[in-house]
C-alpha cells in the first residue's frame, strides 16, 4: 500500500476523499506574482537552460516585462486570450512569462500544430492576437488578428523608455486556455483561472517538494498542461529549468544520457517515456509520472533509495492534476489521494445525470471537487453544464462544484483511488461490458510490460480485444505467458486474443496514446480467427469443433486441454449453441449437449464428435444393384404376374361364369344358378386364403432374419409370397379370433387370446406374439423392407399383454416387452424396444410413462366353450356377410338379362366383341345402380334389424357387445367392396348416416377407417381427408372401449391422421397430415396440431381469395354437377366389370357348352389378365384425356377440375391398383407404369407403394427406395382448396415405411428417412442426412 | 402470472410469497468465484428468512443434481436453484418444494433458429418464427429461461428436446433492467 500522501480528515461525507485542507495554499495571486517572487528572491539563479544558453531569473523577469509592456501597449487586457505558437526554447518560455506578466491568458499550441487548428481555437476563444516567431509569422498572414513575433516583442527597447505595467489583476481572470479534442470533432477550450493554477502549483509542490536546488527537465509541449508542472512549479520554487531540445525529447538513448550529463534532478514524464530510457539517470531524485496509466514494472525499475516517484492524475478541467500517489515498488499503482484542498468522489454511472454517491469499493465515475476546477468550457455552456455540476455534498469552502471526469474509478478501502479507464472506454464484447482500463491495469502489472493499450478491434467481422504492448527495454515478452497470467485474473472474455508488440506507441501531441492510430494499424501476421496460441486441428472432427469454438469465442485460443466451461467460459447456453452448430454437419449429427457436459475438454469432445455411430456412416455411398440383376428379377416377376392377376380375376369371374352357365337356357333354375354361383364364390374366397398359405410355404419357405441382396433370389421368393398373401381378403378376419389362425398358418408364433384388428405383415415367419396381446387397426408390421440395396428381414416380438394401438408401425428387429404399450400413430424403428410396462408414443417412439395396470379391470377369463362358440360365430358370420354382399349382384344380372331379352338398345347389337362390350356397358348402368342401391339398403337393413345401437362404454372382448360391434364393422367392410366408389363423393355423408353416424351439412369424407358409426359425430362443413383412422374402438387388456368421437364445425383432419377413440375436436381445428390428435383438454377452437406427438402451431396460413361458393357453400348447380360426375364414377367401374363379364361369358359359353374346359379356363385366364391390364390402360387414357399434365396449381373444391381429378384418382385407386398395379409393387415395372401416367421416376427405383396421385408432380431420382405405404403427397386440401405441387425425391434416397413427403419439399440425394417420417411442405432434407420423426427432424 | 420481486442481497430480509423468495447478488465476473459468492449469499439469506443461524444452513451441490438444502444437518424439502449471468447471480428458494430459476442476458443470437429447434421444441420454435425481428432477442431469452427454469425445477439437465419438461408453476422476476430476463419455475404447495 502506498503511503498516504496526506491524512484525510473525514468531513461532511465519509465516502468523499478530501485532500489535506490547507487554506494557506489559496492566495490572492496570479502567475506573474509567483515568477516575480522567485526572481526577487534570487535573481541570479539560473532559470532557463537551453543548449548553451542560459537565462537567470532576473533576466527572465526583465525580458518578460518587455514582452508584457509591448502587449499592454498593443491593447491586450488582463484576462484576454492570446495565442502562443513557437518552437520550444527559451523564447517560448519568455513569451509565456510575458503574457503572464501582462495579466493575460495564453492559448498554447504545439509548434507542429497546423495553422487551421490554431485559427479554429483562436476564433473560438475570441483571441486578441497571436504570439509567435518570425519564422512562423508568414503562415499567420490570414489569421485576422494581430501577430506579435518574439523578435519584435523582445527587441531591445529604446533607452530610457518606460515599460507599461499591468494594473491590478484579479486572480479570477483566465490564466490559460487549453484546447482538447471534443467527441464531436470540434476542439473544446478549457479555461483555467489564475487562482486555480496558482493554487494547484502550491498544492502539488506541497507534496512534491521541488526546491530551488532542483534542475527540472522541461520536455512537455506547452500545449499540454503537464508542462505547468515542469515550468511553473519550477518558477514557484525558483528551480532551474533544463529545456530539452526537440530532437532528443523522444530519444531513448540520448535523452537519459543528457539528463544525466546535465544532472537533472526532477523529471516530469509520461510513463512510456521513462520506460524507454535505456539507462539509469542517477541524478534524478524526483520522478513525477502522469498522463497515462503507469505500469508497475516501471516503478520496480526506477525506484531507488533517495528517489521519490509519484503518479499524478488529473484532467485539464481540474487544473493539471487532482490526485497524487507516492509510488513504491511491490505495491500496486493507484492514482493516490487528492491533492491538498482537492476532493475526489465516485458516483453511480447508471444514476447519471442524477448524482448518487457510491461508497468505497464500488465502481463509478470519478468526480473532482476543489478550487482547481475550471470555470468551464469556452463558449460551450451545454457541455459545461453537463460536466461541471453543483456539488451536493459541498462542505462550504472551495468545493461548491464538482467536475465529472468521465473516468471510471473505485475508492479502495485504504483510501487510495484506482482509476479504471474511461467510462466511455467501456466496450462491449459479445455482450459483456469490458473496461479496457481494467485490462490495461492488469497487463501493466506483468513483468516486462512497459506501456500498454488495449483496444477492441473488429477484424474480419469478429470483435476481439487486442493488446498493444511496448515491452521494457531489452525484454522479450511471451504472448502465451501474458495470456495465461491474465486468464488467471480476468474473466475469459476480457483476456485479449492478440498481443501486438510495439517499438513505441503512437502519441498525440498531448503525449497520450493515439488509440485511433493503433486501431488503424493492421494486425500482424497470424490469421484472424486463429490465435497463435491455439492448437492446430488434426482431424476433421477437430476442424469442425475448433471452427465452431472460434465462432462462439472469438479470439480465444482453442487448446485441446482447455475445459469448455472453466477455460473458455462456456455455460449451458453456449453448450447448446455449440451442439446445434456442430449438428449442422450431418457427419456430426449424433453430438448432443450431454456429450459436451460429460467430456468438457475440447480434445475429448472432438473424440466423441469423431466417434460417429455406425448408422451415421451408412449414409456414405453405397452401390446400387446392377441393372442386369434388376431386370432379371423383373422378368421373373413379370412371369409370375399373369398368374397372380388371373387368380384375382378368377375370384369374380368364376362365380360370374357359373351363374351364366346355369342360366340362359329355358328351364334353368335361377335359384340353382345362384346357389352354384355363391358356392363357387365362397370356394374362391376360401381358396384365396389357401393359395396364399400354400404359396407362401412353397415359394418362400421359412425365411430367416437377416439381409439379402435386392433383386436376388431370396428377394424374389419373398416378393412372390408377399403378393400372394396380400391378395388374400384378410380384412374379413379382422377383429376375430380367426386372424390369429391365419397368422399361424403363415408361420407366425401367436399366443393365446390374441386379438388383432387389421395389420400388414411382411415377413410372417419373423413375428412372435405372446398371450393376451391386443393389436389395433391398420397396424403395420413392416418387418421386411429394402434399404440401401438390401432386403432386411427382422424379427418382431410382442410380449404377453402387450398392446399395439392403431396406425402404429413397427420395423423388423423390434420388441415390445410384457405389458408394453405402443400408442397409435407411433413408429418403433429397427432396434428399438419398449420395455416391460412402459408406454411409448410418437414418431420415433419415445417413453412417455409407465402403463397404469389399474386403469382397466382385470382381464376377464373366458372358457374354452365360449371361445369355440365365438370361433363358430366368426366363421359363420364371415361367410354369411360375404355371401350376403355378393347377393345384390344377381338382381343386376337378372335385370340385364331382362333388358337383353326385351331387346333394349337394338342399335347396339352384334357379334363384335367391342359392340357387345359397349352394349353391356350401357345396359349395366341401371343394373349397377340397382346393385349399389341394394347393397346399401341391405347393409343398413341388416345393421338396424339385427343389431341395436351401440352405446359407448367398456365391454369385454369376449362379450356379445363385442360380437355385435364386430358384425357392424364386417358389414361396413364388406359393403365397401361394392361401395368403395362412395368414398370422397357427395354421397358419402348419406352412407354414413345410413349406418348410424351423425353427419352435419356439407361435410366431406374421403376415406375414414375404423369408424364406429354409432360413436361418430361429424359437424357441419368438416373435412375428413384420405386414410384417416377416425375414432376406432380401443382394445386393450381384454377390454373394448368405445367413446363418442366428435369433429366439430369446420374442423379438418388431414391425410393419414389418427383420431383416437373419444376425441372431441373443437371448431376450426386442423389436425395435420399424418398427425395424431392430442388429448381433448389440450385443444382449443382454432388450433392447428401437427405431428406425432402433436405440437400446437401458433398460426396457419389461411388460403383466402376463393369465394365461398367454390369452397364451403356451393350453388345448387355445382352440387348437381359434382353429384352427376361422382355418380358416374361410382357406377362406372361396376358397369365395366359387368359388361366385361357378360361379354366374356358370352364368348366362352360355346366352349363351355361343349365341355372344352381347358379352353374355357385358358380363355378366362387370358381375359382376366387382359382385364387387369385393361383397367390400368383405361385409367392412363382417362388421366391424359381429362387432366393432361398435373402441374402446380390450386383450385377450390367445387370446380370441375377437382371433381375430375378426384374421379381419376378414385378410378386409379378403385380399379387400376387392385386389379393390376398392386402386383407391380416391388418390381422394376411399377416405376415404368407410373411414368406412363406422367411421373418422372428414375431407373433402379425400388417402389413398394402405389400411393401416388398427381403423377406428373412426382420426381424420384435413380435407385431410391420407397418402402411400403410411403407417399409423395402431392396434393393437400386445406380450407377446401386443392393445392397441388411437386415432390422431389433425389437419388439413392431411402424412405422408411409409412413416410410421407409433402409437396414442394425436396429430399436430397442419399438421404434417409425413418419410418413414419413426415417431411413438411417446402422442407429441404440435406443430402446424406438421416431424418426421422413426425414432423421430420435430424435423427440422433 | 405471478411476478416476484428480486431482493438485493445483502439487503433487508426477503419477504416470502407463496413460500418463495429470490435474491440477487452482484458477483465477480469469474464464474468460479461467482458461484462461491452466490452460495454464501444464499445461505445467509435463507438463514435470515428462517430466522436461523447462518452456520446452521448448508447448501450442497452435486453436479447434475439440484442443490440440496439442509439445516442443522437435517435435510429439508426446501427447493433451491441458482442462475448466473455476467457479474450477477440469482438464488431462488421454495419452502414448499422444488424450484428452478434461470437468468439470461437479452442478446442477438444469429443461430437462434437451430438452437430453438434443437432444444426448445417445434412449438416454441414456431412461435419464435412468428415473432417480429425486433422482439426476437427478448422473446428468445424468455423462452430459453422458461425452458431452463422448468428443467432445473424438475432436476433435469439441459438436453436436446425430448418432450416438454414436467409442468410447474411459473413466476416472472422483476429485474429492473431490460438487458436480462429471468424466470422462476416452482412446485406450489398442493391444495
Amino acid at each position: 500500500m502506498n503511503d498516504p500522501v496526506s491524512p484525510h480528515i473525514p468531513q461532511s461525507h465519509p465516502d468523499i476523499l478530501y485532500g489535506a485542507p490547507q487554506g494557506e495554499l489559496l492566495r490572492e495571486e496570479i502567475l506573474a506574482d509567483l515568477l516575480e517572487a522567485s526572481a526577487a528572491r534570487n535573481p541570479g539563479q539560473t532559470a532557463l537552460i537551453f543548449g548553451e544558453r542560459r537565462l537567470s531569473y532576473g533576466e527572465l523577469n526583465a525580458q518578460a516585462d518587455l514582452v508584457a509592456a509591448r502587449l499592454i501597449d498593443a491593447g491586450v487586457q488582463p484576462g484576454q486570450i492570446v495565442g502562443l505558437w513557437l518552437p520550444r526554447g527559451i523564447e517560448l518560455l519568455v513569451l509565456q512569462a510575458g503574457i503572464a506578466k501582462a495579466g493575460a491568458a495564453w492559448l498554447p499550441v504545439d509548434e507542429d500544430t497546423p495553422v487551421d487548428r490554431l485559427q479554429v481555437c483562436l476564433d473560438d476563444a475570441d483571441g486578441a492576437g497571436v504570439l509567435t516567431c518570425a519564422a512562423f509569422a508568414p503562415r499567420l498572414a490570414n489569421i485576422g488578428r494581430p501577430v506579435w513575433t518574439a523578435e519584435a516583442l523582445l527587441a531591445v527597447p529604446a533607452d530610457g523608455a518606460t515599460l507599461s505595467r499591468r494594473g491590478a489583476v484579479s486572480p479570477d481572470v483566465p490564466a490559460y486556455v487549453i484546447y482538447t479534442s471534443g467527441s464531436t470533432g470540434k476542439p473544446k477550450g478549457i479555461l483555467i483561472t489564475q487562482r486555480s493554477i496558482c493554487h494547484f502549483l502550491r498544492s502539488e509542490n506541497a507534496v512534491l517538494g521541488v526546491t530551488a536546488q532542483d534542475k527540472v527537465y522541461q520536455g512537455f509541449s506547452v500545449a499540454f498542461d503537464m508542462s505547468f508542472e515542469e515550468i511553473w512549479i519550477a518558477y514557484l520554487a525558483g528551480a532551474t529549468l533544463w529545456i530539452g531540445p526537440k530532437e532528443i525529447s523522444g530519444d531513448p538513448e540520448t535523452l537519459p544520457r543528457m539528463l544525466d550529463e546535465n544532472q537533472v534532478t526532477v523529471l516530469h514524464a509520461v510513463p512510456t517515456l521513462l520506460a524507454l530510457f535505456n539507462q539509469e539517470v542517477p541524478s534524478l531524485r524526483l520522478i513525477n509520472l502522469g498522463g497515462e496509466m503507469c505500469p508497475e514494472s516501471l516503478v520496480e525499475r526506477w525506484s531507488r533509495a533517495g528517489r521519490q516517484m509519484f503518479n499524478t492524475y488529473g484532467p485539464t478541467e481540474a487544473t493539471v492534476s487532482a490526485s497524487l500517489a507516492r509510488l513504491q515498488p511491490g505495491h500496486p499503482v493507484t492514482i493516490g489521494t487528492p491533492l491538498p484542498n482537492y476532493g475526489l468522489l465516485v458516483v453511480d454511472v447508471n444514476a447519471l445525470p442524477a448524482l448518487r454517491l457510491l461508497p468505497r469499493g464500488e465502481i463509478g465515475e470519478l468526480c473532482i471537487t476543489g478550487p482547481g476546477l475550471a470555470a468551464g468550457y469556452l463558449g460551450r455552456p451545454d457541455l459545461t453544464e453537463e460536466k461541471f455540476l453543483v456539488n451536493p455534498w459541498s462542505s462550504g469552502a472551495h468545493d461548491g462544484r464538482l467536475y465529472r471526469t468521465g473516468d471510471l474509478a473505485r475508492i479502495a478501502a485504504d483510501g487510495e483511488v484506482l482509476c479504471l479507464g474511461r467510462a466511455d472506454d467501456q466496450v462491449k464484447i459479445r455482450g459483456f461490458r469490458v473496461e479496457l482500463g481494467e485490462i490495461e491495469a492488469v497487463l501493466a502489472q506483468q513483468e516486462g510490460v512497459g506501456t500498454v493499450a488495449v483496444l477492441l478491434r473488429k477484424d474480419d467481422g469478429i470483435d476481439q480485444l487486442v493488446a498493444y504492448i511496448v515491452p521494457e527495454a531489452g525484454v522479450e515478452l511471451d504472448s502465451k505467458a501474458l495470456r495465461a497470467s491474465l486468464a488467471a485474473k480476468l474473466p475469459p472474455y476480457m483476456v485479449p486474443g492478440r498481443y501486438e508488440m510495439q517499438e513505441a506507441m503512437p502519441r498525440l501531441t498531448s503525449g497520450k496514446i493515439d488509440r485511433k492510430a493503433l486501431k488503424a494499424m493492421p494486425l500482424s501476421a497470424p490469421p484472424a480467427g486463429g490465435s497463435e496460441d491455439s492448437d492446430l486441428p488434426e482431424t476433421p472432427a477437430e476442424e469442425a469443433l475448433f471452427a465452431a469454438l472460434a465462432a462462439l469465442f472469438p479470439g480465444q485460443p482453442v487448446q485441446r486441454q482447455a475445459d469448455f466451461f472453466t477455460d473458455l467460459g462456456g455455460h449451458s447456453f453456449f453448450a447448446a449453441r455449440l451442439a446445434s452448430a456442430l449438428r449442422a454437419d450431418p457427419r456430426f449429427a449424433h453430438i448432443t449437449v450431454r456429450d459436451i457436459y460429460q467430456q468438457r475438454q475440447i480434445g475429448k469432445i472432438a473424440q466423441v464428435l469423431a466417434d460417429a455411430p455406425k448408422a451415421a456412416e451408412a449414409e456414405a455411398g453405397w452401390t446400387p444393384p446392377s441393372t442386369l440383376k434388376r431386370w432379371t428379377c423383373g422378368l421373373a416377376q413379370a412371369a409370375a404376374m399373369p398368374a397372380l392377376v388371373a387368380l384375382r380375376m378368377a375370384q369374380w369371374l368364376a362365380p360370374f361364369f357359373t351363374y351364366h352357365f346355369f342360366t340362359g337356357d329355358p328351364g334353368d333354375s335361377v335359384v340353382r344358378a345362384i346357389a352354384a354361383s355363391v358356392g363357387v364364390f365362397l370356394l374362391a374366397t376360401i381358396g384365396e386364403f389357401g393359395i396364399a398359405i400354400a404359396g407362401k410355404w412353397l415359394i418362400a419357405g421359412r425365411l430367416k432374419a437377416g439381409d439379402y441382396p435386392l433383386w436376388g433370389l431370396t428377394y424374389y421368393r419373398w416378393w412372390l409370397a408377399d403378393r400372394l398373401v396380400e391378395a388374400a381378403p384378410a380384412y374379413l378376419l379382422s377383429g376375430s379370433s380367426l386372424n390369429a389362425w391365419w397368422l399361424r398358418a403363415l408361420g407366425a408364433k401367436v399366443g393365446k387370446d390374441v386379438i388383432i384388428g387389421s395389420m400388414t405383415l411382411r415377413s410372417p415367419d419373423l413375428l412372435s406374439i405372446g398371450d393376451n396381446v391386443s393389436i389395433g387397426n391398420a397396424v403395420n408390421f413392416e418387418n421386411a423392407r429394402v434399404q440401401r440395396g438390401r432386403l432386411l428381414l427382422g424379427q418382431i416380438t410382442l410380449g404377453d399383454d402387450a398392446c399395439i394401438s392403431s396406425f402404429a408401425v413397427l420395423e423388423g428387429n423390434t420388441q415390445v416387452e410384457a405389458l408394453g404399450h405402443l400408442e397409435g400413430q407411433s413408429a418403433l424403428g429397427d432396434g428399438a424396444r419398449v420395455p416391460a410396462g412402459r408406454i411409448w408414443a410418437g414418431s420415433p417412439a419415445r417413453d412417455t410413462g409407465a402403463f397404469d395396470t389399474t386403469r382397466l379391470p382385470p382381464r376377464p377369463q373366458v372358457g374354452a366353450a365360449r371361445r369355440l362358440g365365438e370361433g363358430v360365430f366368426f366363421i359363420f358370420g364371415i361367410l354369411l356377410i360375404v355371401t350376403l354382399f355378393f347377393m345384390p349382384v344377381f338382381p343386376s344380372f337378372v335385370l340385364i338379362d331382362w333388358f337383353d331379352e326385351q331387346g333394349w338398345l337394338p342399335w347396339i347389337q352384334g357379334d363384335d366383341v367391342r359392340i357387345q362390350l359397349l352394349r353391356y356397358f350401357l345396359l349395366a348402368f341401371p343394373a349397377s345402380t340397382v346393385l349399389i342401391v341394394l347393397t346399401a339398403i341391405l347393409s343398413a337393413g341388416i345393421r338396424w334389424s339385427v343389431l341395436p345401437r351401440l352405446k359407448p362404454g367398456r365391454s369385454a372382448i369376449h362379450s356379445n357387445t363385442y360380437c355385435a360391434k364386430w358384425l357392424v364393422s364386417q358389414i361396413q367392410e364388406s359393403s365397401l367392396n361394392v361401395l368403395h366408389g362412395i368414398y370422397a363423393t357427395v354421397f358419402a355423408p348419406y352412407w354414413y348416416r345410413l349406418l348410424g353416424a351423425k353427419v352435419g351439412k356439407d361435410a366431406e369424407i374421403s376415406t375414414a377407417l375404423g369408424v364406429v358409426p354409432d360413436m361418430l359425430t361429424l359437424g357441419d362443413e368438416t373435412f375428413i381427408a384420405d386414410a384417416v383412422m377416425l375414432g376406432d374402438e380401443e382394445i386393450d387388456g381384454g377390454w373394448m372401449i368405445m367413446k363418442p368421437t366428435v369433429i366439430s364445425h369446420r374442423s379438418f383432419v388431414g391425410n393419414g391422421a389418427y383420431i383416437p377413440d373419444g376425441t372431441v375436436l373443437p371448431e376450426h381445428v386442423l389436425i395435420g397430415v399424418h398427425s395424431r390428435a392430442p388429448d381433448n383438454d389440450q385443444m382449443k377452437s382454432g388450433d392447428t396440431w401437427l405431428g406425432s406427438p402433436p405440437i400446437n402451431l401458433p398460426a396457419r396460413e389461411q388460403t383466402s381469395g376463393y369465394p365461398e361458393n367454390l369452397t364451403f357453400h356451393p350453388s345448387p348447380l355445382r352440387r348437381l354437377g359434382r353429384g352427376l360426375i361422382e355418380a358416374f364414377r361410382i357406377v362406372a367401374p361396376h358397369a365395366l366389370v359387368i359388361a366385361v363379364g357378360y361379354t366374356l361369358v358370352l364368348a366362352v359359353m360355346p366352349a363351355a357348352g361343349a365341355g372344352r374346359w381347358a379352353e374355357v379356363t385358358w380363355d378366362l385366364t387370358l381375359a382376366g389378365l387382359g382385364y387387369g391390364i385393361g383397367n390400368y390402360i383405361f385409367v392412363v387414357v382417362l388421366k391424359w384425356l381429362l387432366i393432361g399434365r398435373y402441374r402446380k396449381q390450386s383450385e377450390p373444391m367445387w370446380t370441375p377440375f377437382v371433381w375430375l381429378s378426384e374421379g381419376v384418382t378414385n378410378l386409379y385407386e378403385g380399379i387400376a391398383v387392385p386389379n393390376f398395379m398392386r402386383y407391380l409393387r416391388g418390381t422394376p415395372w411399377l416405376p415404368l407404369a407410373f411414368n406412363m401416367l406422367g411421373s418422372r421416376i428414375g431407373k433402379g427405383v425400388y417402389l413398394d407403394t402405389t400411393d401416388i396421385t398427381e403423377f406428373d408432380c412426382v420426381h424420384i431420382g435413380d435407385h431410391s427406395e420407397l418402402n411400403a405405404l410411403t407417399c409423395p403427397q402431392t396434393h393437400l386440401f386445406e380450407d377446401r382448396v386443392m393445392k397441388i405441387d411437386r415432390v422431389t425425391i433425389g437419388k439413392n434416397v431411402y424412405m422408411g415405411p409409412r413416410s410421407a413427403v409433402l409437396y414442394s419439399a425436396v429430399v436430397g440425394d442419399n438421404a434417409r428417412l425413418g419410418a413414419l417420417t413426415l417431411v413438411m411442405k417446402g422442407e429441404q432434407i440435406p443430402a446424406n442426412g438421416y431424418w426421422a420423426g413426425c414432423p421430420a427432424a435430424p435423427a440422433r | 402470472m405471478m411476478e416476484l420481486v428480486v431482493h438485493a442481497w445483502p439487503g433487508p430480509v426477503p419477504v416470502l410469497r407463496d413460500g418463495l423468495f429470490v435474491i440477487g447478488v452482484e458477483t465477480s465476473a469469474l464464474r468460479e468465484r461467482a458461484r462461491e459468492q452466490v452460495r454464501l449469499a444464499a445461505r445467509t439469506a435463507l438463514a435470515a428468512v428462517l430466522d436461523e443461524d447462518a452456520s446452521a444452513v448448508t447448501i450442497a451441490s452435486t453436479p447434475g443434481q439440484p442443490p440440496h438444502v439442509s439445516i442443522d444437518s437435517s435435510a429439508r424439502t426446501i427447493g433451491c436453484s441458482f442462475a448466473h449471468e455476467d457479474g450477477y447471480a440469482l438464488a431462488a428458494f421454495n419452502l414448499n418444494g422444488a424450484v428452478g430459476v434461470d437468468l439470461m442476458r437479452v442478446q442477438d443470437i444469429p443461430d437462434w433458429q437451430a438452437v430453438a429447434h434443437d432444444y426448445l421444441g417445434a412449438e416454441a420454435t414456431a412461435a419464435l418464427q412468428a415473432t417480429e425481428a425486433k422482439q426476437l432477442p427478448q422473446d428468445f431469452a424468455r423462452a430459453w429461461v422458461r425452458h431452463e427454469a422448468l428443467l432445473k425445477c424438475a432436476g433435469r439437465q439441459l438436453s436436446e428436446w425430448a418432450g416438454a419438461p414436467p409442468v410447474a408453476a411459473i413466476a416472472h422476476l422483476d429485474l429492473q433492467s431490460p438487458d436480462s430476463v429471468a424466470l422462476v419455475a416452482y412446485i406450489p404447495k398442493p391444495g
Side-chain angles (χ1 to χ4, degrees), chain A residues 34 79 234 327 341 482 510 669 774 894 1036:
Chain A
L34 300 180
L327 299 174
N341 296 323
L482 280 178
S510 62
S669 161
S774 319
V894 167
D1036 190 8

Side-chain angles (χ1 to χ4, degrees), chain A residues 925-970:
Chain A
F925 257 85
S928 302
T929 313
V930 164
L931 167 65
I932 287 161
V933 170
L934 273 180
T935 307
I937 294 174
L938 184 65
S939 323
I942 296 177
R943 192 244 174 278
W944 289 114
S945 60
V946 173
L947 301 161
R949 191 175 188 79
L950 292 167
K951 290 199 198 32
R954 184 180 61 222
S955 18
I957 56 178
H958 294 288
S959 68
N960 295 341
T961 314
Y962 180 82
C963 294
K965 187 230 158 268
W966 177 85
L967 208 53
V968 174
S969 299
Q970 277 296 64

